Amino acid sequence: MGIFDIFKRNRGHPAEKAETASTLQIRAVTKPDGSPWCPIGYTPLSDVPEIKAGMRKIAELMSVMPLHLMRNTPNGNVRENNELSKKLDVNPCKRLTRPQWIYKIVMDMLVKGNSYGIPIYRERILANIIPVTMGGVIEPDGLGDYTVTINGIDYDPDEILHFVYNADPDNPWNGCGLAPELRTVINALKQASVTSQAIMENPMPAVVIRVDNLLEDLSTPEGRKELSDRYIKSVDAGTPWMISAANFEVQQIKPLSLNDLAIKDDIEINKKTAAAILGVPPFVLGAGDFDKDAFNNFVSSRLQPIAVLIEQELTRKLLYSPDLFFKFSNRQLYSYTMEERLKFSTALMDRGVLSGNEVRIEFDMEPVEGLDERKVLENYIPVEKSGNQNKLNGGGE
């Protein structure tokens, strides 16, 4: 049974059901003002700046990765350019561009563990993929399958796009997101932030003045202010104090700082722990300096697995042809200097892998006539033709 038949089963026309789903709001458990109910002491991931920064970096980079429609051929995978590839790479959703659409999917996967989309067809042509802006309730059937209830409507998994992240071992179709692993780190970061803010807003004084025989004046706030205005307050900034040596004694103290309380070190450790759980380089969360190798490893080891999850869900739910599949391109995300890019492109051109115009496109230059032919240096000719080299036939070095 194909996905088109599934949508028509007991649902009527898919467009009619889709319009209803797009206009209705989920009956979520929320307060009257629309904010979600949370247990006392619970801190949402979105309320912790460090965690939000790491997730936003993952989602932003994923959102700018081009999504290509590929075809498997005997000579390798080739890119398909048609209306379907344009639809998924440019405007998969009627009201969102592909970066906005992918950003939402990735953020939902990281925070909630599950992200949903409802494909809509017009005469068997993909017309829209509605992003579900509400949570879904996953109900296992006890036989290794499940249904998803969204806004009171039960969906078979084949009817919707269901992107799962950090799957529950007992129910692998249900994602857990990163909240369970980050819970302890979130609480530690929030407490450190509260302590740091309290110290910054109410700093301890660095000077203590001991006063003798003036107990009546010190017993009230008005009396203490009067003594301060009379003996300590200066008219001009920087003017030294002039007080009675018999009645006053000034001592300088060093109040505890963030370093003394080890809050700074604790925050950095927690940031690195959060970075490890999120899979981002520590400098993304403000711990340490930029590291190019760490960033490139982040692209290949962190972003790529998420890309595969989305690719395969789109491929198995939207494509019928066994030789077609979707694939993200992460090539432009890697951090390379201009010199490194030039050396790499030149080496590929010298070996006949790239043409001159392909190298120009790599550097955002327009193609020029005469550079479409791929050429190879004489030193790289096939072994069986080594006897034909010009320098072996009297042609010079």
Side-chain angles (χ1 to χ4, degrees):
M1 181 181 294
I3 190 171
F4 304 107
D5 299 322
I6 292 174
F7 265 97
K8 295 177 181 178
R9 184 187 62 191
N10 300 326
R11 301 303 176 93
H13 195 280
E16 297 174 0
K17 180 176 67 66
E19 293 300 328
T20 302
S22 65
T23 56
L24 291 178
Q25 297 296 321
I26 186 65
R27 290 186 288 271
V29 183
T30 58
K31 298 179 182 179
D33 61 359
S35 60
W37 288 102
C38 295
I40 297 175
Y42 175 78
T43 303
L45 295 181
S46 57
D47 286 353
V48 184
E50 293 86 355
I51 304 301
K52 188 174 182 180
M55 291 185 173
R56 184 174 64 245
K57 175 61 69 174
I58 295 175
E60 286 177 347
L61 292 177
M62 285 292 306
S63 70
V64 298
M65 293 170 60
L67 182 60
H68 297 161
L69 178 62
M70 308 294 294
R71 182 181 296 277
N72 184 268
T73 69
N75 294 326
N77 300 326
V78 297
R79 183 178 174 185
E80 290 281 316
N81 293 304
N82 53 34
E83 287 301 316
L84 179 60
S85 64
K86 178 181 178 181
K87 178 65 179 176
L88 267 293
D89 192 42
V90 179
N91 60 332
C93 175
K94 184 177 180 180
R95 302 302 181 188
L96 299 176
T97 61
R98 186 255 305 161
Q100 295 171 319
W101 182 62
I102 294 295
Y103 182 93
K104 173 180 169 43
I105 290 175
V106 176
M107 286 298 288
D108 285 347
M109 292 172 65
L110 296 176
V111 176
K112 305 174 184 177
N114 299 280
S115 182
Y116 306 95
I118 302 177
I120 304 303
Y121 295 87
R122 298 284 190 270
E123 298 180 356
R124 303 177 69 86
I125 296 178
L126 181 65
N128 192 15
I129 300 178
I130 299 176
V132 177
T133 59
M134 64 289 286
V137 178
I138 297 177
E139 300 176 355
D141 63 0
L143 301 175
D145 207 347
Y146 69 100
T147 59
V148 181
T149 302
I150 300 175
N151 197 32
I153 302 176
D154 293 335
Y155 290 89
D156 189 88
D158 291 333
E159 296 182 87
I160 61 175
L161 297 175
H162 182 191
F163 306 97
V164 179
Y165 183 77
N166 192 18
D168 184 347
D170 297 328
N171 299 293
W173 46 78
N174 184 25
C176 299
L178 292 174
E181 291 84 354
L182 288 169
R183 186 174 295 113
T184 302
V185 180
I186 288 173
N187 293 334
L189 284 172
K190 185 177 182 182
Q191 183 58 49
S193 177
V194 170
T195 304
S196 175
Q197 183 177 358
I199 292 177
M200 297 300 293
E201 291 180 352
N202 299 286
M204 295 294 292
V207 175
V208 174
I209 301 177
R210 191 176 73 177
V211 181
D212 293 333
N213 302 324
L214 297 172
L215 296 179
E216 293 183 359
D217 293 331
L218 295 174
S219 62
T220 62
E222 293 79 9
R224 290 192 293 270
K225 184 177 185 303
E226 182 180 354
L227 285 175
S228 175
D229 292 340
R230 184 188 307 171
Y231 295 101
I232 300 174
K233 188 175 181 181
S234 301
V235 177
D236 299 324
T239 303
W241 294 343
M242 302 183 72
I243 60 178
S244 171
N247 297 327
F248 296 90
E249 179 182 350
V250 180
Q251 293 182 355
Q252 183 176 4
I253 63 173
K254 182 181 179 182
L256 293 176
S257 64
L258 296 179
N259 289 333
D260 297 325
L261 296 175
I263 292 180
K264 179 180 179 182
D265 295 336
D266 187 55
I267 290 177
E268 185 170 357
I269 292 174
N270 286 321
K271 284 184 177 181
K272 290 182 178 179
T273 303
I277 296 175
L278 288 171
V280 301
F283 61 81
V284 173
L285 305 187
D289 299 324
F290 176 79
D291 187 330
K292 183 183 69 174
D293 294 333
F295 181 82
N296 289 339
N297 180 67
F298 158 65
V299 172
S300 59
S301 65
R302 190 71 179 96
L303 300 185
Q304 192 59 32
I306 299 177
V308 172
L309 290 174
I310 299 176
E311 292 168 359
Q312 294 194 354
E313 180 69 4
L314 294 175
T315 298
R316 73 192 187 112
K317 296 289 183 65
L318 300 181
L319 300 178
Y320 276 114
S321 178
D323 58 350
L324 289 177
F325 62 96
F326 289 107
K327 181 178 177 60
F328 281 102
S329 174
N330 62 4
R331 180 177 57 86
Q332 295 180 345
L333 297 184
Y334 289 101
S335 178
Y336 294 119
T337 64
M338 187 66 70
E339 183 179 1
E340 290 172 331
R341 293 175 59 192
L342 181 60
K343 288 182 178 179
F344 180 74
S345 300
T346 302
L348 292 181
M349 185 174 64
D350 290 343
R351 287 164 174 79
V353 178
L354 296 178
S355 66
N357 276 332
E358 288 173 324
V359 174
R360 290 179 61 87
I361 293 174
E362 174 68 21
F363 292 92
D364 296 326
M365 300 179 183
E366 295 182 358
V368 296
E369 186 176 355
L371 291 182
D372 289 324
E373 183 181 2
R374 287 182 296 167
K375 300 180 181 179
V376 63
L377 296 179
E378 190 178 41
N379 292 339
Y380 301 119
I381 63 176
V383 175
E384 61 271 14
K385 296 184 179 181
S386 58
N388 298 331
Q389 297 183 72
N390 189 38
K391 60 184 179 183
L392 298 179
N393 296 317
E397 297 295 334

